[in-house]
Amino acid sequence: MTDTLARALESDNNGLDRRKLLKIGVWAAPVVVLATAAPAAAASGPLTEQQAAALITPSAPTNPSTDKKVVAVKVAVNGTAATVIVATVSVSPSGQGTWKGVSAPANAQPSFIAQPVTIPAGGSTTITFPEFQRSNQGHQLTFTVSFTVNGVQVPSRTQSLVLS
């Protein structure tokens, strides 16, 4: 690579002609591209909570079932790239039941973490959590849904739903 560039720059009596200029340009172009891309890559760091929060718009959690305690939340992506969402639902008071279809001991935990979901730019998806089966029908339950967006916890997007 250096020999070719050196030969292109060799001095002769004719000075610089179009062919030599073209050779110089071909060798210099990748250097210019790399030099301009490096600062952009260095400036992009991890997302802040505010940046991550701006990427999603969650709806209020709903109970799509009339006879079961099921929580669902629709999440829309506002960004220009695919976004990875992890939603967690917590129930309080804890110890009032189990998550149906979830293996022990995780079924008795006060929260359930959904599998990561990748949502395309401008898209949306509905995340439905497993049914929560109460052990005591007399308690009112509060389901709280929180989000992690591209690995950043986003407390400002937390939503709650109260079910009797």
Side-chain angles (χ1 to χ4, degrees):
M1 181 166 119
T2 311
D3 288 340
T4 307
L5 183 58
R7 277 186 271 145
L9 295 174
E10 277 181 2
S11 172
D12 62 11
N13 294 336
N14 297 335
L16 285 175
D17 62 9
R18 284 182 280 160
R19 184 172 286 156
K20 285 184 183 177
L21 280 174
L22 181 61
K23 286 180 182 179
I24 292 169
V26 167
W27 286 108
V31 174
V32 171
V33 169
L34 287 174
T36 56
S44 64
L47 289 175
T48 66
E49 190 273 329
Q50 292 80 11
Q51 291 168 327
L55 290 176
I56 65 167
T57 304
S59 68
T62 60
N63 179 8
S65 175
T66 56
D67 60 338
K68 299 175 185 171
K69 302 303 175 213
V70 177
V71 175
V73 63
K74 184 174 182 177
V75 182
V77 169
N78 306 319
T80 58
T83 303
V84 179
I85 308 291
V86 177
T88 303
V89 65
S90 300
V91 62
S92 64
S94 61
Q96 298 301 314
T98 58
W99 301 102
K100 184 176 181 181
V102 178
S103 301
N107 67 343
Q109 297 297 317
S111 61
F112 180 84
I113 301 172
Q115 292 295 315
V117 177
T118 301
I119 305 172
S124 67
T125 192
T126 299
I127 300 169
T128 303
F129 295 97
E131 176 186 355
F132 188 78
Q133 295 180 315
R134 294 195 279 187
S135 54
N136 182 346
Q137 297 297 322
H139 286 91
Q140 192 174 48
L141 300 173
T142 301
F143 293 89
T144 304
V145 181
S146 58
F147 300 94
T148 301
V149 178
N150 292 340
V152 177
Q153 187 71 33
V154 186
S156 64
R157 292 294 191 213
T158 298
Q159 305 264 356
S160 292
L161 173 67
V162 177
L163 298 175
S164 296

